[in-house]
Amino acid sequence: MKTMNKASNLIAAALMLFFAIPKLVGIEKSVKGFEQFKSLVPIDPDIFRVFTGSVELVIAILLIIYTIKNTNNLGKLAYFLLLATMIGGLAMEFFARPEPVMMLVVIAVLLSVLSIYKLKILAKK
């Protein structure tokens, strides 16, 4: 696996960890952010926050394992889950928040584009 490919995997994993940890430990800003989603998601905001953080943590772990083992199917799974999570995140930003947080939108779009690119490459292997 080339250096740039590994680096992009690890950057994506690091970003997922960066977003998962505050959700899982219940940082106040994260708790307040998920309170805003009550209108769109009819489940308890704390359960939704922990679920989302857990999914992000699993994606980070899958990306790290994929970087180490370079298993094609594992990469497909990791990037499919990343893409699905980013699409969900974008939906939440635009439909559940009073005003989207542009930094989160930009990161989600970049990770979506990366996921699509990686999935196309992995599909060819």
Side-chain angles (χ1 to χ4, degrees):
M1 197 181 293
K2 295 182 182 177
T3 305
M4 195 64 161
N5 194 20
K6 283 185 179 184
S8 63
N9 294 341
L10 294 175
I11 290 169
L15 284 169
M16 295 313 291
L17 285 173
F18 177 77
F19 289 115
I21 292 169
K23 291 176 182 83
L24 293 172
V25 298
I27 300 291
E28 184 178 349
K29 187 175 182 179
S30 182
V31 171
K32 286 181 180 178
F34 275 80
E35 285 291 324
Q36 295 177 334
F37 299 154
K38 278 183 183 179
S39 63
L40 188 63
V41 181
I43 56 176
D44 180 81
D46 286 327
I47 292 172
F48 186 48
R49 174 181 49 80
V50 171
F51 172 77
T52 302
S54 298
V55 169
E56 291 169 343
L57 179 62
V58 166
I59 293 168
I61 292 167
L62 288 172
L63 287 167
I64 292 167
I65 294 170
Y66 167 60
T67 303
I68 295 167
K69 294 199 174 213
N70 195 23
T71 305
N72 198 34
N73 286 337
L74 187 59
K76 287 178 184 177
L77 176 62
Y79 278 104
F80 173 78
L81 291 174
L82 180 57
L83 179 60
T85 302
M86 292 303 102
I87 290 170
L90 287 167
M92 298 306 289
E93 284 299 317
F94 287 108
F95 299 115
R97 278 200 208 274
E99 186 174 325
V101 177
M102 279 301 124
M103 180 193 75
L104 297 178
V105 170
V106 169
I107 291 169
V109 168
L110 290 174
L111 286 173
S112 296
V113 169
L114 175 66
S115 296
I116 292 167
Y117 172 75
K118 295 281 189 160
L119 286 168
K120 283 186 173 191
I121 289 172
L122 289 166
K124 292 178 183 178
K125 290 184 178 180

